[in-house]
Amino acid sequence: MHSHSMHLWQHEHVFLGESHARHERRTWWVVGLTAAMMVAEIVGGTIFGSMALVADGWHMSTHAAALGIAALAYRFARTHAHDPRFSFGTGKVGELAAFASAVVLAIVALLIGYESLLRLVTPVHIDVAQALPIAVVGLFVNLASAWLLHDDTGHAHHHGHDHDHHHDDEQAHGHAHRDHDTNLRAAYVHVLADALTSVLAIAALLGGRFYGFFWLDPLMGLVGTVVILAWSWSLIRSAGAVLLDAVPNAALAHEVRRRLETGGDRVADLHLWRLGPGHTGVIAAIVSDHPQPPTTYKAKLDGLEGLAHVTIEVEPCPDHAQPRQMPANI
């Protein structure tokens, strides 16, 4: 076969989210905003002798680092999108970054909880007049960051790529159900966690200022710990499921099987996994009394949103008197 003919049957494995560039750009903006606030707090606290300011600055540095991980993941996925070393592209780099970011978030939450427990046992004097403006400014920075990271792109269009490689037949399958970018969600949760701690701190400081309830400060710290840990666990589960190639959508798997199992054909083996935001890979092994070319079976899946890499294997059904033993998946 001529190399020109082979080219017609080849395609790229780029499975980045539709809004990848937009999300990358906005994440870098938030990294800059968070880093600037962090430097201002650490430098200002050092100059004015405010331990509260310095402590909040270093706390913000952990979020800046996590946001940096998200931004670098976007950049790596984009610059290596065409790298043949990645068999199914770099669409899952964001999941890896989100998982790491969620672990960082859990560690921060546990440190806040530990410090809060210490302060419940041994109360520390709080300079409300100094701490309150810091918390308010921090909250505004976090709200601005949350606005930048809010994923308001709505439904995404998904373009199909399959191994029959008829590129003229590839088209958007309409509006898909919203397929979240986990990397962006992780960055957003970091910002929300920081905003939550600011809100709780403001509430605690006001309670101490007007009612003398200084125990509210460590109590609010414990509340924040519980909430942030819950967010972190949710991120770890969702990112981990993608990294382990869990079936992303049971309903989609059922529909794929339903469409392929017609006219006595049976699906002997079916694999679905997420390749990147809005992109699902499918490998199906079909046993048939009347085998058809793989393109026939792929045509049955036309219109299913998000299918981006379809591989079909067809085997003739053996004699019914001696049924073929299909190997069990391990």
Side-chain angles (χ1 to χ4, degrees):
M1 182 178 288
H2 296 295
S3 59
H4 175 71
S5 300
M6 276 295 294
H7 180 70
L8 296 174
W9 291 82
Q10 295 173 335
H11 72 286
E12 294 176 340
H13 293 74
V14 179
F15 303 119
L16 305 182
E18 186 186 70
S19 303
H20 187 93
R22 174 180 179 272
H23 291 170
E24 179 182 359
R25 187 169 57 252
R26 292 199 167 203
T27 303
W28 278 117
W29 272 104
V30 173
V31 169
L33 195 59
T34 306
M37 182 68 186
M38 174 196 80
V39 171
E41 287 189 338
I42 293 174
V43 173
T46 303
I47 293 173
F48 299 114
S50 168
M51 273 312 297
L53 207 53
V54 172
D56 195 62
W58 285 112
H59 166 73
M60 188 161 272
S61 73
T62 60
H63 290 292
L67 291 164
I69 290 172
L72 288 171
Y74 279 124
R75 186 178 186 280
F76 181 90
R78 172 174 51 81
T79 56
H80 291 80
H82 301 278
D83 192 330
R85 292 178 303 166
F86 299 97
S87 296
F88 288 102
T90 54
K92 284 163 67 172
V93 170
E95 308 293 337
L96 187 61
F99 189 90
S101 190
V103 172
V104 171
L105 190 64
I107 292 171
V108 170
L110 290 172
L111 289 175
I112 293 172
Y114 177 71
E115 183 68 21
S116 298
L117 285 174
L118 288 182
R119 291 191 176 203
L120 269 178
V121 177
T122 311
V124 176
H125 173 71
I126 303 169
D127 188 337
V128 177
Q130 185 186 74
L132 193 57
I134 299 168
V136 172
V137 172
L139 177 60
F140 277 110
V141 169
N142 292 321
L143 290 177
S145 299
W147 177 79
L148 280 170
L149 292 176
H150 181 61
D151 186 9
D152 58 358
T153 55
H155 291 29
H157 293 283
H158 305 295
H159 297 268
H161 297 269
D162 51 34
H163 278 185
D164 60 9
H165 308 304
H166 293 298
H167 288 280
D168 53 343
D169 290 336
E170 291 176 6
Q171 57 184 352
H173 297 308
H175 287 285
H177 65 84
R178 189 161 176 165
D179 198 332
H180 288 288
D181 183 330
T182 313
N183 193 30
L184 186 78
R185 182 183 160 212
Y188 188 58
V189 167
H190 267 278
V191 170
L192 284 185
D194 221 8
L196 175 68
T197 55
S198 296
V199 169
L200 293 176
I202 291 169
L205 290 168
L206 290 176
R209 170 70 177 82
F210 294 108
Y211 302 104
F213 296 159
F214 291 104
W215 48 265
L216 268 178
D217 188 72
L219 184 65
M220 289 300 186
L222 289 175
V223 170
T225 295
V226 172
V227 174
I228 295 169
L229 278 177
W231 290 347
S232 173
W233 177 241
S234 174
L235 270 177
I236 286 172
R237 286 187 64 189
S238 58
V242 176
L243 292 172
L244 291 172
D245 292 330
V247 176
N249 188 330
L252 178 61
H254 175 77
E255 180 61 16
V256 167
R257 188 178 289 274
R258 187 189 70 80
R259 290 193 181 199
L260 293 177
E261 291 190 330
T262 58
D265 294 343
R266 288 292 174 263
V267 174
D269 203 13
L270 179 64
H271 299 281
L272 274 83
W273 74 103
R274 178 166 149 150
L275 299 163
H279 300 282
T280 302
V282 177
I283 296 176
I286 299 169
V287 178
S288 175
D289 287 323
H290 307 287
Q292 301 296 317
T295 50
T296 302
Y297 298 96
K298 288 174 186 176
K300 295 180 180 182
L301 301 180
D302 283 350
L304 281 181
E305 297 163 346
L307 296 191
H309 196 288
V310 180
T311 304
I312 300 290
E313 177 184 297
V314 186
E315 294 286 347
C317 187
D319 183 70
H320 293 291
Q322 296 179 336
R324 177 180 174 182
Q325 294 294 319
M326 298 303 296
N329 285 329
I330 298 176

